[in-house]
């Protein structure tokens, strides 16, 4: 998923910096997502960003590539500064894909 889908939220470093996805239980309890976060500092320096290397900002980048996410857990999209800034109205972007 290196190609980013068209969305109303830009998939850029500034968006990723405000993103709360890495603090969400859906992500925290995923071995895949936490493993990707270990490489986050290097991934955020790349231009353009590669969505499959950054387990965050799914409202901008599209669905998560990790397959061990537990979508029964509570998501925190509604508390995210990105969600508020762009007046988003859906939830669980890691499952459902980018904001449109």
């Amino acid at each position: 998923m290196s190609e980013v889908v068209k969305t109303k939220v830009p998939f850029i470093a500034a968006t990723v910096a405000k993103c709360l996805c890495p603090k969400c239980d859906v992500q925290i309890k995923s071995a895949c997502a936490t493993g990707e976060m270990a490489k986050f500092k290097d991934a955020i320096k790349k231009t353009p960003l590669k969505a499959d290397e950054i387990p965050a900002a799914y409202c901008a980048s599209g669905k998560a590539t990790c397959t061990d996410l537990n979508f029964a857990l509570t998501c925190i999209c509604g508390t995210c500064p990105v969600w508020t800034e762009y007046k988003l109205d859906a939830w669980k972007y890691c499952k459902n894909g980018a904001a449109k």
Side-chain angles (χ1 to χ4, degrees), residues 5-55:
V5 295
K6 269 200 175 240
T7 179
K8 68 193 273 182
V9 181
F11 187 63
I12 58 174
T15 301
V16 174
K18 293 183 234 174
C19 174
L20 293 185
C21 290
K23 295 179 181 173
C24 180
D25 276 348
V26 175
Q27 301 297 317
I28 292 170
K29 297 185 178 179
S30 159
C32 173
T34 54
E36 289 300 315
M37 280 308 295
K39 301 179 254 176
F40 181 81
K41 286 183 180 180
D42 290 331
I44 198 72
K45 294 176 186 173
K46 294 182 181 177
T47 304
L49 297 179
K50 295 184 179 185
D52 57 347
E53 295 179 359
I54 298 178

Side-chain angles (χ1 to χ4, degrees), residues 30-87:
S30 159
C32 173
T34 54
E36 289 300 315
M37 280 308 295
K39 301 179 254 176
F40 181 81
K41 286 183 180 180
D42 290 331
I44 198 72
K45 294 176 186 173
K46 294 182 181 177
T47 304
L49 297 179
K50 295 184 179 185
D52 57 347
E53 295 179 359
I54 298 178
Y58 299 114
C59 60
S61 66
K63 292 181 184 179
T65 56
C66 290
T67 58
D68 66 343
L69 300 177
N70 180 353
F71 298 113
L73 297 171
T74 303
C75 77
I76 58 173
C77 295
T79 65
C80 182
V82 178
W83 192 85
T84 304
E85 180 179 340
Y86 289 94
K87 298 175 176 56

